[in-house]
Amino acid sequence: MRVAMIGTGYVGLVSGACFADFGHVVTCVDKDEGKIERLRRNIIPIYEPGLEELVASNARDGRLKFTVDGAEAIREADAVFIAVGTPSRRGDGHADLSYVYAAAEEIAGLIEGFTVIVTKSTVPVGTGDEIERIIRERRPDADFAVVSNPEFLREGAAIDDFKRPDRVVVGSDSERARLVMAELYRPLNLNEIPIVYTSRRTSELTKYAANAFLAMKITFINEMADLCEALGADVQQVARGIGLDNRIGGKFLHAGPGYGGSCFPKDTLALVRTATDANSPVRLIETTVAVNDARKKAMAARVIASLGGEAKNKTVGILGLTFKPNTDDMRDAPSLDIVPELVNAGAKVQAFDPEGMKEAQKQLSGIDYCDGPYQAVTGADVVVILTEWDQFRALDLDRIKLLMNAPVMVDLRNVYDPGAMAARGFDYRGIGRPQAH
């Protein structure tokens, strides 16, 4: 089948490359000429394991193309995907749908024959109705259907999530559109992946509900971590004890500095605003948002406490800046709250991240960026693990101890064992676990 993918951001690029790898002919469209030119030269704008190779192989085989002029691709497409950004709108937290509606306007003037227009972007309930209205108003003669097909991709594991998903959700009342979507995802049939067919509005809400529930699960275990610290319990054992219950599950029960990234912060906020407008408030999600925001801000205080309550003229080594490992994404990363607080408190901050340095430099100033983890801890009065990159899991701790001014570690991801760290002579402080002496 022929696919036009409008938008070459994280979702559009991964989805386009994976559809091409399924055997479809995909054209990715973007207004950014520089970005398109770089993609043609296989310069990938994001870090995602395996994506560079996937794009290169499918471009080489002629199934994946990039262009700034999507007219031909849209006219020939069986399905046109809208995969543009929907950031939080400044001031009110609603999703900014201007890029989505602009794409709908462009698509309306170009489609020929029966075309399925698929919303891949995360959008509030009712957005598909508005897309349909825009296209119908401009092209009363057009033969088309608007479908909701939300993405459930984890950064760092997106290709595997696309090719081996837990489920695919398709929102449409059009049988013709459902048949097109079934053909697009037919390669998944071999693995018997469930395709959940719903109404369009149900599909749109499913995406928000999924992300809100996961964000709430993270926030729950973070609050349990605080309670564990107060009561002398171990949050990791609590998480294992409840996660083995099949009704709960162990995923997203890892205590830390709070969630961030491109999805959870904006999607929980958008759901709260949508629910408020519908006069059906979602109190649990409102609390999740508030607790998570406060948690990220409070993490700097933990670091300062490890310095005896005074950060002025102290050196803090930061390991990890991105919101999670295996990505260069800095959007709403906890580091964006923690590092400025440390700088404002008078600390000298020196940081290293395996992939996120370039993006971090755009948002975090007044700190020293280092070439590796050992440079970041040299002369430090405390080292802070902010992101659980694999290379931080097996550091040469004896070397780190020698390089630091004082052997103090604040491990906001619980990478290391408190007892083992104490035995090595570290003043080690994790999250939700008793401090070993």
Side-chain angles (χ1 to χ4, degrees), residues 152 167 205-215 264 271:
F152 299 99
R167 79 293 198 198
L205 183 55
T206 298
K207 167 64 176 179
Y208 279 111
N211 278 358
F213 186 85
L214 295 174
F264 288 0
L271 182 58

Side-chain angles (χ1 to χ4, degrees), residues 259-381:
Y259 62 77
S262 62
C263 295
F264 288 0
K266 76 177 182 66
D267 291 354
T268 49
L269 199 56
L271 182 58
V272 167
R273 296 294 181 261
T274 297
T276 301
D277 290 349
N279 198 30
S280 181
V282 284
R283 301 299 188 204
L284 285 174
I285 310 306
E286 291 175 12
T287 302
T288 294
V289 172
V291 170
N292 189 67
D293 287 347
R295 183 171 189 80
K296 288 193 287 187
K297 291 178 172 58
M299 290 299 104
R302 287 176 176 256
V303 178
I304 294 171
S306 75
L307 295 168
E310 178 58 64
K312 191 173 182 179
N313 298 323
K314 298 291 180 67
T315 299
V316 179
I318 300 287
L319 299 182
L321 294 167
T322 54
F323 86 96
K324 65 180 288 188
N326 296 322
T327 180
D328 60 354
D329 200 337
M330 286 291 299
R331 283 174 286 185
D332 281 296
S335 62
L336 298 179
D337 287 291
I338 297 167
V339 171
E341 286 290 323
L342 295 173
V343 172
N344 290 339
K348 175 191 176 185
V349 176
Q350 45 197 44
F352 169 73
D353 188 281
E355 294 293 340
M357 305 275 271
K358 184 177 179 181
E359 291 301 316
Q361 288 171 5
K362 299 174 185 177
Q363 302 185 58
L364 289 173
S365 57
I367 69 174
D368 294 332
Y369 290 93
C370 301
D371 293 331
Y374 298 104
Q375 184 182 350
V377 305
T378 298
D381 297 288

Side-chain angles (χ1 to χ4, degrees), residues 6-8 12 81-87 97-101 103 120-122:
I6 311 301
T8 60
F81 283 78
I82 299 175
V84 296
T86 54
L97 299 175
S98 58
Y99 301 111
V100 172
Y101 294 150
K120 202 72 173 166
S121 303
T122 300

